[in-house]
PDB file of all heavy atoms in Angstrom:
ATOM      1  N   GLN A   1      -4.691   7.110  -3.966  1.00  0.00           N
ATOM      2  CA  GLN A   1      -4.950   7.355  -5.399  1.00  0.00           C
ATOM      3  C   GLN A   1      -5.110   8.994  -5.599  1.00  0.00           C
ATOM      4  O   GLN A   1      -4.659   9.529  -6.486  1.00  0.00           O
ATOM      5  CB  GLN A   1      -6.146   6.719  -5.930  1.00  0.00           C
ATOM      6  CG  GLN A   1      -6.359   6.873  -7.391  1.00  0.00           C
ATOM      7  CD  GLN A   1      -7.781   6.468  -7.907  1.00  0.00           C
ATOM      8  OE1 GLN A   1      -8.854   6.760  -7.320  1.00  0.00           O
ATOM      9  NE2 GLN A   1      -7.777   5.469  -8.909  1.00  0.00           N
ATOM     10  N   SER A   2      -6.021   9.526  -4.644  1.00  0.00           N
ATOM     11  CA  SER A   2      -6.134  10.894  -4.783  1.00  0.00           C
ATOM     12  C   SER A   2      -5.230  11.753  -3.976  1.00  0.00           C
ATOM     13  O   SER A   2      -5.244  11.473  -2.705  1.00  0.00           O
ATOM     14  CB  SER A   2      -7.700  11.218  -4.383  1.00  0.00           C
ATOM     15  OG  SER A   2      -7.893  12.598  -4.220  1.00  0.00           O
ATOM     16  N   ALA A   3      -4.806  12.827  -4.497  1.00  0.00           N
ATOM     17  CA  ALA A   3      -3.878  13.763  -3.788  1.00  0.00           C
ATOM     18  C   ALA A   3      -4.649  14.432  -2.763  1.00  0.00           C
ATOM     19  O   ALA A   3      -4.103  14.999  -1.672  1.00  0.00           O
ATOM     20  CB  ALA A   3      -3.182  14.609  -4.679  1.00  0.00           C
ATOM     21  N   ALA A   4      -5.957  14.567  -2.920  1.00  0.00           N
ATOM     22  CA  ALA A   4      -6.761  15.297  -1.884  1.00  0.00           C
ATOM     23  C   ALA A   4      -6.828  14.619  -0.468  1.00  0.00           C
ATOM     24  O   ALA A   4      -6.823  15.322   0.566  1.00  0.00           O
ATOM     25  CB  ALA A   4      -8.061  15.581  -2.442  1.00  0.00           C
ATOM     26  N   VAL A   5      -6.656  13.227  -0.564  1.00  0.00           N
ATOM     27  CA  VAL A   5      -6.713  12.662   0.782  1.00  0.00           C
ATOM     28  C   VAL A   5      -5.466  12.855   1.640  1.00  0.00           C
ATOM     29  O   VAL A   5      -5.614  13.343   2.750  1.00  0.00           O
ATOM     30  CB  VAL A   5      -7.029  11.110   0.534  1.00  0.00           C
ATOM     31  CG1 VAL A   5      -6.745  10.379   1.985  1.00  0.00           C
ATOM     32  CG2 VAL A   5      -8.200  10.884  -0.084  1.00  0.00           C
ATOM     33  N   PRO A   6      -4.247  12.638   1.047  1.00  0.00           N
ATOM     34  CA  PRO A   6      -3.071  12.983   1.988  1.00  0.00           C
ATOM     35  C   PRO A   6      -3.071  14.509   2.331  1.00  0.00           C
ATOM     36  O   PRO A   6      -2.531  14.800   3.376  1.00  0.00           O
ATOM     37  CB  PRO A   6      -1.976  12.494   1.072  1.00  0.00           C
ATOM     38  CG  PRO A   6      -2.413  12.389  -0.269  1.00  0.00           C
ATOM     39  CD  PRO A   6      -3.855  12.021  -0.148  1.00  0.00           C
ATOM     40  N   ALA A   7      -3.286  15.297   1.377  1.00  0.00           N
ATOM     41  CA  ALA A   7      -3.289  16.723   1.602  1.00  0.00           C
ATOM     42  C   ALA A   7      -4.230  17.153   2.884  1.00  0.00           C
ATOM     43  O   ALA A   7      -3.857  17.939   3.729  1.00  0.00           O
ATOM     44  CB  ALA A   7      -3.793  17.603   0.456  1.00  0.00           C
ATOM     45  N   THR A   8      -5.397  16.361   2.964  1.00  0.00           N
ATOM     46  CA  THR A   8      -6.166  16.709   4.252  1.00  0.00           C
ATOM     47  C   THR A   8      -5.779  15.960   5.514  1.00  0.00           C
ATOM     48  O   THR A   8      -5.710  16.579   6.533  1.00  0.00           O
ATOM     49  CB  THR A   8      -7.615  16.143   3.918  1.00  0.00           C
ATOM     50  OG1 THR A   8      -8.132  16.709   2.617  1.00  0.00           O
ATOM     51  CG2 THR A   8      -8.622  16.391   5.033  1.00  0.00           C
ATOM     52  N   LEU A   9      -5.109  14.727   5.343  1.00  0.00           N
ATOM     53  CA  LEU A   9      -4.668  14.005   6.373  1.00  0.00           C
ATOM     54  C   LEU A   9      -3.483  14.733   6.957  1.00  0.00           C
ATOM     55  O   LEU A   9      -3.267  14.526   8.265  1.00  0.00           O
ATOM     56  CB  LEU A   9      -4.166  12.635   5.999  1.00  0.00           C
ATOM     57  CG  LEU A   9      -5.284  11.697   5.544  1.00  0.00           C
ATOM     58  CD1 LEU A   9      -4.692  10.428   5.097  1.00  0.00           C
ATOM     59  CD2 LEU A   9      -6.247  11.445   6.733  1.00  0.00           C
ATOM     60  N   LEU A  10      -2.709  15.577   6.377  1.00  0.00           N
ATOM     61  CA  LEU A  10      -1.572  16.265   6.921  1.00  0.00           C
ATOM     62  C   LEU A  10      -2.039  17.244   8.109  1.00  0.00           C
ATOM     63  O   LEU A  10      -1.245  17.627   8.775  1.00  0.00           O
ATOM     64  CB  LEU A  10      -0.742  16.975   5.828  1.00  0.00           C
ATOM     65  CG  LEU A  10      -0.091  16.153   4.832  1.00  0.00           C
ATOM     66  CD1 LEU A  10       0.498  17.075   3.781  1.00  0.00           C
ATOM     67  CD2 LEU A  10       1.009  15.373   5.558  1.00  0.00           C
ATOM     68  N   GLY A  11      -3.297  17.440   8.145  1.00  0.00           N
ATOM     69  CA  GLY A  11      -3.872  18.274   9.145  1.00  0.00           C
ATOM     70  C   GLY A  11      -3.869  17.557  10.533  1.00  0.00           C
ATOM     71  O   GLY A  11      -4.214  18.189  11.542  1.00  0.00           O
ATOM     72  N   LEU A  12      -3.766  16.276  10.446  1.00  0.00           N
ATOM     73  CA  LEU A  12      -3.894  15.514  11.753  1.00  0.00           C
ATOM     74  C   LEU A  12      -2.612  15.419  12.362  1.00  0.00           C
ATOM     75  O   LEU A  12      -1.391  15.244  11.821  1.00  0.00           O
ATOM     76  CB  LEU A  12      -4.306  14.027  11.350  1.00  0.00           C
ATOM     77  CG  LEU A  12      -5.755  13.966  10.829  1.00  0.00           C
ATOM     78  CD1 LEU A  12      -6.047  12.485  10.426  1.00  0.00           C
ATOM     79  CD2 LEU A  12      -6.743  14.527  11.712  1.00  0.00           C
ATOM     80  N   PRO A  13      -2.354  15.521  13.737  1.00  0.00           N
ATOM     81  CA  PRO A  13      -1.211  15.521  14.422  1.00  0.00           C
ATOM     82  C   PRO A  13      -0.403  14.160  14.156  1.00  0.00           C
ATOM     83  O   PRO A  13      -1.045  13.014  14.047  1.00  0.00           O
ATOM     84  CB  PRO A  13      -1.650  15.444  15.832  1.00  0.00           C
ATOM     85  CG  PRO A  13      -2.951  16.053  15.871  1.00  0.00           C
ATOM     86  CD  PRO A  13      -3.599  15.684  14.582  1.00  0.00           C
ATOM     87  N   GLY A  14       0.817  14.167  13.872  1.00  0.00           N
ATOM     88  CA  GLY A  14       1.612  13.021  13.688  1.00  0.00           C
ATOM     89  C   GLY A  14       1.779  12.558  12.216  1.00  0.00           C
ATOM     90  O   GLY A  14       2.529  11.575  12.026  1.00  0.00           O
ATOM     91  N   VAL A  15       0.913  12.955  11.325  1.00  0.00           N
ATOM     92  CA  VAL A  15       1.046  12.620   9.958  1.00  0.00           C
ATOM     93  C   VAL A  15       1.866  13.445   9.159  1.00  0.00           C
ATOM     94  O   VAL A  15       1.812  14.669   9.129  1.00  0.00           O
ATOM     95  CB  VAL A  15      -0.443  12.723   9.308  1.00  0.00           C
ATOM     96  CG1 VAL A  15      -0.403  12.171   7.823  1.00  0.00           C
ATOM     97  CG2 VAL A  15      -1.388  11.793  10.154  1.00  0.00           C
ATOM     98  N   THR A  16       2.820  12.756   8.430  1.00  0.00           N
ATOM     99  CA  THR A  16       3.779  13.552   7.521  1.00  0.00           C
ATOM    100  C   THR A  16       3.699  13.057   6.122  1.00  0.00           C
ATOM    101  O   THR A  16       3.200  11.928   5.872  1.00  0.00           O
ATOM    102  CB  THR A  16       5.166  13.366   8.247  1.00  0.00           C
ATOM    103  OG1 THR A  16       5.582  11.876   8.067  1.00  0.00           O
ATOM    104  CG2 THR A  16       5.342  13.872   9.442  1.00  0.00           C
ATOM    105  N   ALA A  17       4.192  13.886   5.196  1.00  0.00           N
ATOM    106  CA  ALA A  17       4.209  13.593   3.780  1.00  0.00           C
ATOM    107  C   ALA A  17       5.403  12.900   3.409  1.00  0.00           C
ATOM    108  O   ALA A  17       6.535  13.332   3.815  1.00  0.00           O
ATOM    109  CB  ALA A  17       3.834  14.851   2.990  1.00  0.00           C
ATOM    110  N   GLN A  18       5.240  11.716   2.719  1.00  0.00           N
ATOM    111  CA  GLN A  18       6.405  11.167   1.962  1.00  0.00           C
ATOM    112  C   GLN A  18       6.597  11.601   0.595  1.00  0.00           C
ATOM    113  O   GLN A  18       7.616  11.786   0.022  1.00  0.00           O
ATOM    114  CB  GLN A  18       6.228   9.563   2.029  1.00  0.00           C
ATOM    115  CG  GLN A  18       7.451   8.832   1.395  1.00  0.00           C
ATOM    116  CD  GLN A  18       7.443   7.436   1.652  1.00  0.00           C
ATOM    117  OE1 GLN A  18       7.511   6.992   2.883  1.00  0.00           O
ATOM    118  NE2 GLN A  18       7.346   6.604   0.682  1.00  0.00           N
ATOM    119  N   ASP A  19       5.364  11.808  -0.064  1.00  0.00           N
ATOM    120  CA  ASP A  19       5.261  12.447  -1.363  1.00  0.00           C
ATOM    121  C   ASP A  19       3.923  12.993  -1.538  1.00  0.00           C
ATOM    122  O   ASP A  19       3.164  12.953  -0.633  1.00  0.00           O
ATOM    123  CB  ASP A  19       5.748  11.566  -2.530  1.00  0.00           C
ATOM    124  CG  ASP A  19       4.872  10.302  -2.609  1.00  0.00           C
ATOM    125  OD1 ASP A  19       3.735  10.456  -2.497  1.00  0.00           O
ATOM    126  OD2 ASP A  19       5.594   9.187  -2.757  1.00  0.00           O
ATOM    127  N   GLY A  20       3.581  13.505  -2.713  1.00  0.00           N
ATOM    128  CA  GLY A  20       2.220  14.076  -2.967  1.00  0.00           C
ATOM    129  C   GLY A  20       1.198  13.115  -2.626  1.00  0.00           C
ATOM    130  O   GLY A  20      -0.011  13.706  -2.441  1.00  0.00           O
ATOM    131  N   ARG A  21       1.305  12.002  -2.784  1.00  0.00           N
ATOM    132  CA  ARG A  21       0.179  11.015  -2.574  1.00  0.00           C
ATOM    133  C   ARG A  21       0.337   9.934  -1.408  1.00  0.00           C
ATOM    134  O   ARG A  21      -0.410   8.922  -1.184  1.00  0.00           O
ATOM    135  CB  ARG A  21      -0.102  10.330  -3.888  1.00  0.00           C
ATOM    136  CG  ARG A  21      -0.806  11.088  -4.926  1.00  0.00           C
ATOM    137  CD  ARG A  21      -1.172  10.282  -6.155  1.00  0.00           C
ATOM    138  NE  ARG A  21      -0.317   9.517  -6.732  1.00  0.00           N
ATOM    139  CZ  ARG A  21      -0.250   8.192  -6.808  1.00  0.00           C
ATOM    140  NH1 ARG A  21      -1.228   7.410  -6.273  1.00  0.00           N
ATOM    141  NH2 ARG A  21       0.685   7.582  -7.544  1.00  0.00           N
ATOM    142  N   THR A  22       1.487  10.127  -0.647  1.00  0.00           N
ATOM    143  CA  THR A  22       1.774   9.201   0.442  1.00  0.00           C
ATOM    144  C   THR A  22       2.081   9.742   1.627  1.00  0.00           C
ATOM    145  O   THR A  22       2.658  10.921   1.761  1.00  0.00           O
ATOM    146  CB  THR A  22       3.047   8.328  -0.086  1.00  0.00           C
ATOM    147  OG1 THR A  22       2.806   7.894  -1.454  1.00  0.00           O
ATOM    148  CG2 THR A  22       3.382   7.241   0.943  1.00  0.00           C
ATOM    149  N   VAL A  23       1.290   9.306   2.765  1.00  0.00           N
ATOM    150  CA  VAL A  23       1.592   9.806   4.080  1.00  0.00           C
ATOM    151  C   VAL A  23       2.034   8.632   4.987  1.00  0.00           C
ATOM    152  O   VAL A  23       1.844   7.540   4.708  1.00  0.00           O
ATOM    153  CB  VAL A  23       0.135  10.473   4.691  1.00  0.00           C
ATOM    154  CG1 VAL A  23      -0.117  11.670   3.842  1.00  0.00           C
ATOM    155  CG2 VAL A  23      -0.790   9.443   4.685  1.00  0.00           C
ATOM    156  N   ARG A  24       2.619   9.102   6.115  1.00  0.00           N
ATOM    157  CA  ARG A  24       3.041   8.145   7.117  1.00  0.00           C
ATOM    158  C   ARG A  24       2.741   8.639   8.390  1.00  0.00           C
ATOM    159  O   ARG A  24       2.632   9.849   8.724  1.00  0.00           O
ATOM    160  CB  ARG A  24       4.576   7.811   6.747  1.00  0.00           C
ATOM    161  CG  ARG A  24       5.491   8.969   6.942  1.00  0.00           C
ATOM    162  CD  ARG A  24       6.826   8.654   6.521  1.00  0.00           C
ATOM    163  NE  ARG A  24       7.368   7.398   7.076  1.00  0.00           N
ATOM    164  CZ  ARG A  24       8.632   6.931   6.803  1.00  0.00           C
ATOM    165  NH1 ARG A  24       9.213   7.169   5.780  1.00  0.00           N
ATOM    166  NH2 ARG A  24       9.041   5.823   7.479  1.00  0.00           N
ATOM    167  N   ALA A  25       2.809   7.663   9.505  1.00  0.00           N
ATOM    168  CA  ALA A  25       2.743   7.979  10.904  1.00  0.00           C
ATOM    169  C   ALA A  25       3.353   6.905  11.652  1.00  0.00           C
ATOM    170  O   ALA A  25       3.444   5.830  11.176  1.00  0.00           O
ATOM    171  CB  ALA A  25       1.210   8.263  11.323  1.00  0.00           C
ATOM    172  N   SER A  26       3.771   7.289  12.860  1.00  0.00           N
ATOM    173  CA  SER A  26       4.443   6.142  13.691  1.00  0.00           C
ATOM    174  C   SER A  26       3.630   6.109  15.029  1.00  0.00           C
ATOM    175  O   SER A  26       3.048   7.136  15.476  1.00  0.00           O
ATOM    176  CB  SER A  26       5.801   6.362  13.890  1.00  0.00           C
ATOM    177  OG  SER A  26       6.190   7.626  14.562  1.00  0.00           O
ATOM    178  N   GLY A  27       3.681   4.961  15.560  1.00  0.00           N
ATOM    179  CA  GLY A  27       3.098   4.804  16.870  1.00  0.00           C
ATOM    180  C   GLY A  27       2.913   3.321  17.285  1.00  0.00           C
ATOM    181  O   GLY A  27       3.296   2.467  16.437  1.00  0.00           O
ATOM    182  N   PRO A  28       2.534   2.988  18.502  1.00  0.00           N
ATOM    183  CA  PRO A  28       2.480   1.619  18.845  1.00  0.00           C
ATOM    184  C   PRO A  28       1.208   1.014  18.279  1.00  0.00           C
ATOM    185  O   PRO A  28       0.119   1.688  18.169  1.00  0.00           O
ATOM    186  CB  PRO A  28       2.443   1.757  20.482  1.00  0.00           C
ATOM    187  CG  PRO A  28       1.790   3.061  20.646  1.00  0.00           C
ATOM    188  CD  PRO A  28       2.324   3.861  19.636  1.00  0.00           C
ATOM    189  N   LEU A  29       1.236  -0.138  17.942  1.00  0.00           N
ATOM    190  CA  LEU A  29       0.045  -1.029  17.653  1.00  0.00           C
ATOM    191  C   LEU A  29      -0.738  -1.331  18.913  1.00  0.00           C
ATOM    192  O   LEU A  29       0.197  -1.700  19.830  1.00  0.00           O
ATOM    193  CB  LEU A  29       0.390  -2.232  16.768  1.00  0.00           C
ATOM    194  CG  LEU A  29       0.618  -1.874  15.237  1.00  0.00           C
ATOM    195  CD1 LEU A  29       1.326  -3.073  14.760  1.00  0.00           C
ATOM    196  CD2 LEU A  29      -0.473  -1.494  14.404  1.00  0.00           C
ATOM    197  N   PRO A  30      -1.874  -1.479  19.194  1.00  0.00           N
ATOM    198  CA  PRO A  30      -3.011  -1.214  18.175  1.00  0.00           C
ATOM    199  C   PRO A  30      -3.387   0.113  17.899  1.00  0.00           C
ATOM    200  O   PRO A  30      -4.297   0.467  17.071  1.00  0.00           O
ATOM    201  CB  PRO A  30      -4.078  -2.040  18.711  1.00  0.00           C
ATOM    202  CG  PRO A  30      -4.048  -1.871  20.147  1.00  0.00           C
ATOM    203  CD  PRO A  30      -2.408  -1.992  20.431  1.00  0.00           C
ATOM    204  N   ALA A  31      -2.800   1.139  18.575  1.00  0.00           N
ATOM    205  CA  ALA A  31      -3.278   2.573  18.506  1.00  0.00           C
ATOM    206  C   ALA A  31      -2.977   3.022  16.984  1.00  0.00           C
ATOM    207  O   ALA A  31      -3.839   3.751  16.482  1.00  0.00           O
ATOM    208  CB  ALA A  31      -2.488   3.565  19.367  1.00  0.00           C
ATOM    209  N   LEU A  32      -2.073   2.579  16.332  1.00  0.00           N
ATOM    210  CA  LEU A  32      -1.720   2.986  14.972  1.00  0.00           C
ATOM    211  C   LEU A  32      -2.876   2.503  14.085  1.00  0.00           C
ATOM    212  O   LEU A  32      -3.202   3.068  13.110  1.00  0.00           O
ATOM    213  CB  LEU A  32      -0.369   2.596  14.510  1.00  0.00           C
ATOM    214  CG  LEU A  32       0.218   3.038  13.282  1.00  0.00           C
ATOM    215  CD1 LEU A  32       0.316   4.515  13.349  1.00  0.00           C
ATOM    216  CD2 LEU A  32       1.511   2.448  13.023  1.00  0.00           C
ATOM    217  N   TYR A  33      -3.322   1.210  14.332  1.00  0.00           N
ATOM    218  CA  TYR A  33      -4.480   0.754  13.742  1.00  0.00           C
ATOM    219  C   TYR A  33      -5.761   1.526  13.848  1.00  0.00           C
ATOM    220  O   TYR A  33      -6.418   1.750  12.827  1.00  0.00           O
ATOM    221  CB  TYR A  33      -4.734  -0.766  14.178  1.00  0.00           C
ATOM    222  CG  TYR A  33      -5.690  -1.499  13.262  1.00  0.00           C
ATOM    223  CD1 TYR A  33      -5.256  -2.287  12.144  1.00  0.00           C
ATOM    224  CD2 TYR A  33      -6.984  -1.739  13.723  1.00  0.00           C
ATOM    225  CE1 TYR A  33      -6.160  -2.993  11.524  1.00  0.00           C
ATOM    226  CE2 TYR A  33      -7.858  -2.443  13.005  1.00  0.00           C
ATOM    227  CZ  TYR A  33      -7.487  -3.046  11.970  1.00  0.00           C
ATOM    228  OH  TYR A  33      -8.410  -3.798  11.078  1.00  0.00           O
ATOM    229  N   ARG A  34      -6.114   1.882  15.078  1.00  0.00           N
ATOM    230  CA  ARG A  34      -7.151   2.819  15.212  1.00  0.00           C
ATOM    231  C   ARG A  34      -6.931   4.140  14.509  1.00  0.00           C
ATOM    232  O   ARG A  34      -7.811   4.646  13.933  1.00  0.00           O
ATOM    233  CB  ARG A  34      -7.369   3.123  16.705  1.00  0.00           C
ATOM    234  CG  ARG A  34      -7.832   2.094  17.573  1.00  0.00           C
ATOM    235  CD  ARG A  34      -8.393   2.518  18.929  1.00  0.00           C
ATOM    236  NE  ARG A  34      -7.311   3.117  19.667  1.00  0.00           N
ATOM    237  CZ  ARG A  34      -6.521   2.422  20.561  1.00  0.00           C
ATOM    238  NH1 ARG A  34      -6.749   1.092  20.700  1.00  0.00           N
ATOM    239  NH2 ARG A  34      -5.526   2.927  21.274  1.00  0.00           N
ATOM    240  N   GLN A  35      -5.729   4.652  14.428  1.00  0.00           N
ATOM    241  CA  GLN A  35      -5.543   6.036  13.589  1.00  0.00           C
ATOM    242  C   GLN A  35      -5.780   5.793  12.171  1.00  0.00           C
ATOM    243  O   GLN A  35      -6.362   6.747  11.520  1.00  0.00           O
ATOM    244  CB  GLN A  35      -4.013   6.498  13.967  1.00  0.00           C
ATOM    245  CG  GLN A  35      -3.782   7.758  13.238  1.00  0.00           C
ATOM    246  CD  GLN A  35      -2.379   8.234  13.538  1.00  0.00           C
ATOM    247  OE1 GLN A  35      -1.624   7.584  14.240  1.00  0.00           O
ATOM    248  NE2 GLN A  35      -1.998   9.423  12.954  1.00  0.00           N
ATOM    249  N   PHE A  36      -5.275   4.709  11.711  1.00  0.00           N
ATOM    250  CA  PHE A  36      -5.569   4.430  10.289  1.00  0.00           C
ATOM    251  C   PHE A  36      -7.202   4.413   9.990  1.00  0.00           C
ATOM    252  O   PHE A  36      -7.557   4.714   8.942  1.00  0.00           O
ATOM    253  CB  PHE A  36      -4.972   3.078   9.856  1.00  0.00           C
ATOM    254  CG  PHE A  36      -5.154   2.517   8.509  1.00  0.00           C
ATOM    255  CD1 PHE A  36      -4.853   3.371   7.457  1.00  0.00           C
ATOM    256  CD2 PHE A  36      -5.789   1.326   8.289  1.00  0.00           C
ATOM    257  CE1 PHE A  36      -5.090   2.960   6.219  1.00  0.00           C
ATOM    258  CE2 PHE A  36      -5.971   0.900   7.051  1.00  0.00           C
ATOM    259  CZ  PHE A  36      -5.671   1.627   5.856  1.00  0.00           C
ATOM    260  N   GLY A  37      -7.855   3.938  10.960  1.00  0.00           N
ATOM    261  CA  GLY A  37      -9.344   3.834  10.743  1.00  0.00           C
ATOM    262  C   GLY A  37      -9.994   5.304  10.569  1.00  0.00           C
ATOM    263  O   GLY A  37     -10.789   5.554   9.875  1.00  0.00           O
ATOM    264  N   VAL A  38      -9.251   6.260  11.301  1.00  0.00           N
ATOM    265  CA  VAL A  38      -9.628   7.726  11.159  1.00  0.00           C
ATOM    266  C   VAL A  38      -9.329   8.191   9.767  1.00  0.00           C
ATOM    267  O   VAL A  38     -10.052   8.819   9.143  1.00  0.00           O
ATOM    268  CB  VAL A  38      -9.036   8.608  12.225  1.00  0.00           C
ATOM    269  CG1 VAL A  38      -9.166   9.962  11.997  1.00  0.00           C
ATOM    270  CG2 VAL A  38      -9.485   8.112  13.626  1.00  0.00           C
ATOM    271  N   TRP A  39      -8.114   7.777   9.241  1.00  0.00           N
ATOM    272  CA  TRP A  39      -7.688   8.139   7.967  1.00  0.00           C
ATOM    273  C   TRP A  39      -8.780   7.668   6.844  1.00  0.00           C
ATOM    274  O   TRP A  39      -9.028   8.304   6.007  1.00  0.00           O
ATOM    275  CB  TRP A  39      -6.360   7.466   7.614  1.00  0.00           C
ATOM    276  CG  TRP A  39      -5.168   8.034   8.400  1.00  0.00           C
ATOM    277  CD1 TRP A  39      -5.185   8.877   9.450  1.00  0.00           C
ATOM    278  CD2 TRP A  39      -3.735   7.608   8.180  1.00  0.00           C
ATOM    279  NE1 TRP A  39      -3.859   9.055   9.970  1.00  0.00           N
ATOM    280  CE2 TRP A  39      -3.043   8.273   9.081  1.00  0.00           C
ATOM    281  CE3 TRP A  39      -3.104   6.826   7.297  1.00  0.00           C
ATOM    282  CZ2 TRP A  39      -1.661   8.113   9.213  1.00  0.00           C
ATOM    283  CZ3 TRP A  39      -1.768   6.616   7.363  1.00  0.00           C
ATOM    284  CH2 TRP A  39      -1.070   7.294   8.283  1.00  0.00           C
ATOM    285  N   MET A  40      -9.162   6.493   7.052  1.00  0.00           N
ATOM    286  CA  MET A  40     -10.217   5.849   6.096  1.00  0.00           C
ATOM    287  C   MET A  40     -11.439   6.700   6.237  1.00  0.00           C
ATOM    288  O   MET A  40     -12.150   6.961   5.124  1.00  0.00           O
ATOM    289  CB  MET A  40     -10.357   4.421   6.274  1.00  0.00           C
ATOM    290  CG  MET A  40      -9.148   3.665   5.848  1.00  0.00           C
ATOM    291  SD  MET A  40      -9.517   1.848   5.790  1.00  0.00           S
ATOM    292  CE  MET A  40      -9.551   1.477   7.422  1.00  0.00           C
ATOM    293  N   ARG A  41     -11.850   7.131   7.384  1.00  0.00           N
ATOM    294  CA  ARG A  41     -13.104   7.879   7.488  1.00  0.00           C
ATOM    295  C   ARG A  41     -12.947   9.188   6.761  1.00  0.00           C
ATOM    296  O   ARG A  41     -13.861   9.797   6.250  1.00  0.00           O
ATOM    297  CB  ARG A  41     -13.550   8.005   8.833  1.00  0.00           C
ATOM    298  CG  ARG A  41     -14.115   6.563   9.513  1.00  0.00           C
ATOM    299  CD  ARG A  41     -14.703   6.856  10.866  1.00  0.00           C
ATOM    300  NE  ARG A  41     -13.932   7.137  12.027  1.00  0.00           N
ATOM    301  CZ  ARG A  41     -13.301   6.200  12.585  1.00  0.00           C
ATOM    302  NH1 ARG A  41     -13.429   4.817  12.143  1.00  0.00           N
ATOM    303  NH2 ARG A  41     -12.472   6.444  13.587  1.00  0.00           N
ATOM    304  N   VAL A  42     -11.689   9.813   6.994  1.00  0.00           N
ATOM    305  CA  VAL A  42     -11.527  11.090   6.235  1.00  0.00           C
ATOM    306  C   VAL A  42     -11.558  10.897   4.695  1.00  0.00           C
ATOM    307  O   VAL A  42     -12.122  11.539   3.943  1.00  0.00           O
ATOM    308  CB  VAL A  42     -10.157  11.592   6.597  1.00  0.00           C
ATOM    309  CG1 VAL A  42      -9.684  12.826   5.822  1.00  0.00           C
ATOM    310  CG2 VAL A  42     -10.139  12.137   8.092  1.00  0.00           C
ATOM    311  N   ALA A  43     -10.907   9.790   4.328  1.00  0.00           N
ATOM    312  CA  ALA A  43     -10.887   9.494   2.792  1.00  0.00           C
ATOM    313  C   ALA A  43     -12.201   9.183   2.291  1.00  0.00           C
ATOM    314  O   ALA A  43     -12.566   9.773   1.228  1.00  0.00           O
ATOM    315  CB  ALA A  43      -9.941   8.338   2.541  1.00  0.00           C
ATOM    316  N   SER A  44     -13.100   8.612   3.043  1.00  0.00           N
ATOM    317  CA  SER A  44     -14.470   8.342   2.651  1.00  0.00           C
ATOM    318  C   SER A  44     -15.332   9.547   2.353  1.00  0.00           C
ATOM    319  O   SER A  44     -16.131   9.656   1.574  1.00  0.00           O
ATOM    320  CB  SER A  44     -15.196   7.428   3.665  1.00  0.00           C
ATOM    321  OG  SER A  44     -14.664   6.108   3.764  1.00  0.00           O
ATOM    322  N   SER A  45     -15.005  10.575   3.289  1.00  0.00           N
ATOM    323  CA  SER A  45     -15.708  11.855   3.155  1.00  0.00           C
ATOM    324  C   SER A  45     -15.296  12.634   1.928  1.00  0.00           C
ATOM    325  O   SER A  45     -15.897  13.566   1.471  1.00  0.00           O
ATOM    326  CB  SER A  45     -15.459  12.758   4.505  1.00  0.00           C
ATOM    327  OG  SER A  45     -14.245  13.219   4.455  1.00  0.00           O
ATOM    328  N   LEU A  46     -14.033  12.323   1.393  1.00  0.00           N
ATOM    329  CA  LEU A  46     -13.644  13.150   0.335  1.00  0.00           C
ATOM    330  C   LEU A  46     -13.737  12.392  -1.048  1.00  0.00           C
ATOM    331  O   LEU A  46     -13.479  13.073  -2.152  1.00  0.00           O
ATOM    332  CB  LEU A  46     -11.986  13.329   0.519  1.00  0.00           C
ATOM    333  CG  LEU A  46     -11.706  14.244   1.679  1.00  0.00           C
ATOM    334  CD1 LEU A  46     -10.087  14.191   1.947  1.00  0.00           C
ATOM    335  CD2 LEU A  46     -12.139  15.651   1.531  1.00  0.00           C
TER     336      LEU A  46
END
């Protein structure tokens, strides 16, 4: 919802922008699931 979250997540390795509010990353599961958890902790701080 907030553009501030993806703007901050772009500082993490492997995260790319699809548009101003959408980010993506690739990797094997379950490592990608763990990475998503980091995204949510970043979002919670913002």
Side-chain angles (χ1 to χ4, degrees):
Q1 183 189 57
S2 169
V5 175
T8 303
L9 292 176
L10 290 176
L12 298 177
V15 179
T16 61
Q18 181 166 298
D19 58 45
R21 291 192 297 117
T22 310
V23 295
R24 62 192 302 173
S26 61
L29 290 167
L32 195 58
Y33 189 84
R34 287 196 298 270
Q35 182 178 358
F36 177 55
V38 175
W39 293 5
M40 287 193 288
R41 287 192 286 276
V42 170
S44 294
S45 72
L46 296 170

